[in-house]
Amino acid sequence: MTTFNEILGTKSGDTESTVKQRYKLLSVRVHPDKGGSKALMHLVRHSYDNIVKGKGEHPLAIPAASFATGGNTAALERELSAVKKERDELSALNQLLKVQLNQARKGSSNTSNSTDYSRKIAQLEGEMVLLKEERNRLQSQKDAAIVEQGKLAGELRRALSENEMLETELERNAGVKMPGAVQWAQKFWLPAMAMSSLVAVLFLGATMVNWSAMTAWFDSEEPEVIPPKVTVVHAKSKSPIAADNEPATEETTPVMSEALRKPFLQLTNKTGVWSLASYTETERPYIAIRSDNGSYIVNDCSGEFRLYLNEPFKPLRVAANLIYLHQNQHFHVYKIPYGQGSSAESWLQSRKLQINDELFTSEAFRDSRSALLEKCRS
């Protein structure tokens, strides 16, 4: 009679895990989805349950569930024979694999170099541990170096920003501050000496100044036009006879002085507002605005913007976009070819512009500019 152990291919002394492994292997093969049948699946399950209960050597009793579908006993016996055959094949294959595994273990244990391999493996493992420790140490140093690099970069950025601020302040003050006694002397003695020299020069030259001309600069009335200088040139006679018969003629060549060729501004006391005016000599129109220091920004029909810098307030250094032209009245005249205040658009787009450390507003600029263009066209 066939026992339950023969169905699964197990023995009475096999462990539960071995029995379970054999059950899973046969279940996969006899499952209906894998080409088996429900009857065989119930038979394998019934055998597994009996073996687990300790009834592996009991004779096989086919459960009633195997015939629930009204199956034929002969067909079931054929399927059972096929399952037994597959079981025997699997058992033989399992035995062969076990023999090969034992041979491989014996071959590795009998190898003469197994000890050397173990020693080398242990040595490599030790070196691996040392390398890991060294890598961790270097990684910590790398992290510390990255943190230090970030600190140095921040300090460098702060130093550069402070340096830029110092350079800007030095350029604004038009000089470099000196440490120690030199700085003290520059701050106190040098200004005192310069002031005393200026007082001495003013005192000595007070009698040489034409005060009427000085006050005329600040007068809004038109200055008196100086008549042109006339140079008299005596003509030479072509011959002595002609000189006796013809009277001598005089040729006059008018020479315009430099002061007449430079148009004067009409000075005003009103500050902070653009207004339309005309030059005193030529009556050409222009618009201008006066600062608190008495300087002017002038724009005429030429389209150029000029800075009439009041001479007493002339700094040691002027802005880079100012080009010196000439001196007119008590002004130093500069052309503004580019930058702030060099075009009508910059005045229209800004409410206030700083030119050479002086503030000029754009109040009434649009209306004054329109009036100037109208006069220039007429």
Side-chain angles (χ1 to χ4, degrees):
M1 293 295 293
T2 303
T3 62
F4 295 112
N5 283 329
E6 291 178 352
I7 294 296
L8 292 185
T10 57
K11 299 178 182 178
S12 299
D14 290 342
T15 61
E16 186 177 354
S17 60
T18 303
V19 175
K20 190 174 183 179
Q21 182 180 4
R22 295 296 303 172
Y23 165 70
K24 289 182 178 180
L25 184 61
L26 287 177
S27 299
V28 172
R29 289 184 173 271
V30 301
H31 198 274
D33 296 338
K34 302 294 184 179
S37 62
K38 292 183 178 180
L40 289 176
M41 188 65 193
H42 286 299
L43 179 61
V44 172
R45 179 64 185 178
H46 182 66
S47 300
Y48 171 74
D49 293 339
N50 283 276
I51 293 173
V52 171
K53 293 177 182 179
K55 300 178 181 180
E57 296 298 331
H58 291 192
L60 174 64
I62 299 175
S66 300
F67 301 97
T69 58
N72 190 359
T73 304
L76 183 60
E77 289 293 339
R78 287 194 298 271
E79 292 180 0
L80 182 60
S81 299
V83 171
K84 288 182 179 180
K85 184 178 180 181
E86 290 181 0
R87 181 204 63 189
D88 296 337
E89 292 177 356
L90 291 174
S91 298
L93 180 59
N94 189 19
Q95 292 296 329
L96 179 61
L97 291 175
K98 286 182 179 180
V99 173
Q100 291 179 356
L101 180 60
N102 291 330
Q103 291 178 354
R105 288 178 178 176
K106 290 180 181 179
S108 60
S109 62
N110 295 331
T111 305
S112 60
N113 296 328
S114 60
T115 305
D116 295 337
Y117 290 153
S118 300
R119 188 183 299 110
K120 289 182 179 180
I121 290 173
Q123 183 178 359
L124 291 175
E125 289 178 352
E127 292 179 356
M128 183 66 68
V129 172
L130 294 177
L131 289 175
K132 288 182 178 179
E133 294 177 355
E134 184 68 15
R135 183 193 64 183
N136 295 332
R137 186 179 66 82
L138 294 176
Q139 183 66 31
S140 62
Q141 293 180 358
K142 178 181 177 182
D143 297 338
I146 292 174
V147 174
E148 187 67 21
Q149 182 181 4
K151 293 181 180 179
L152 293 176
E155 294 178 358
L156 180 60
R157 285 193 295 269
R158 287 194 297 271
L160 290 176
S161 62
E162 293 177 358
N163 188 24
E164 291 177 356
M165 292 174 63
L166 288 176
E167 290 180 355
T168 304
E169 187 66 22
L170 291 175
E171 290 179 358
R172 181 176 298 177
N173 296 334
V176 180
K177 294 184 179 180
M178 302 180 182
V182 179
Q183 181 180 359
W184 183 82
Q186 183 183 15
K187 187 175 182 180
F188 296 101
W189 285 99
L190 293 180
M193 293 176 63
M195 184 61 67
S196 61
S197 301
L198 180 60
V199 171
V201 171
L202 292 177
F203 179 76
L204 293 176
T207 58
M208 302 174 61
V209 176
N210 188 358
W211 294 103
S212 61
M214 290 289 292
T215 55
W217 286 351
F218 299 93
D219 192 1
S220 60
E221 297 179 357
E222 297 183 358
E224 182 181 358
V225 179
I226 302 175
K229 295 180 181 180
V230 179
T231 303
V232 179
V233 179
H234 296 280
K236 296 181 180 181
S237 59
K238 297 181 181 179
S239 63
I241 300 174
D244 295 337
N245 297 331
E246 297 180 0
T249 60
E250 295 182 356
E251 295 180 359
T252 61
T253 304
V255 178
M256 302 297 293
S257 64
E258 181 68 17
L260 291 178
R261 287 197 296 267
K262 297 176 182 177
F264 286 175
L265 299 178
Q266 292 186 9
L267 304 181
T268 179
N269 294 328
K270 190 175 183 180
T271 62
V273 179
W274 287 85
S275 59
L276 180 66
S278 61
Y279 295 111
T280 57
E281 285 77 17
T282 62
E283 295 186 357
R284 286 185 296 140
Y286 69 89
I287 57 175
I289 184 173
R290 184 180 184 271
S291 68
D292 295 335
N293 293 335
S295 301
Y296 289 80
I297 298 293
V298 179
N299 176 233
D300 53 19
C301 295
S302 64
E304 295 180 351
F305 284 84
R306 297 185 181 91
L307 169 64
Y308 281 66
L309 183 61
N310 197 2
E311 185 175 8
F313 296 96
K314 180 183 178 182
L316 297 178
R317 295 175 60 184
V318 297
N321 65 331
L322 299 180
I323 299 177
Y324 182 80
L325 296 178
H326 53 77
Q327 185 173 359
N328 189 356
Q329 296 172 284
H330 58 286
F331 299 108
H332 294 281
V333 183
Y334 293 87
K335 179 182 178 181
I336 311 177
Y338 63 92
Q340 288 189 348
S342 61
S343 63
E345 288 76 10
S346 63
W347 290 101
L348 292 173
Q349 294 174 1
S350 304
R351 296 180 57 186
K352 186 181 294 185
L353 294 179
Q354 183 176 2
I355 300 176
N356 206 54
D357 294 336
E358 293 192 49
L359 293 176
F360 297 90
T361 66
S362 60
E363 184 177 352
F365 176 79
R366 186 183 300 273
D367 297 337
S368 300
R369 174 74 174 176
S370 301
L372 174 64
L373 295 178
E374 186 67 25
K375 280 190 171 292
C376 290
R377 285 193 293 266
S378 61

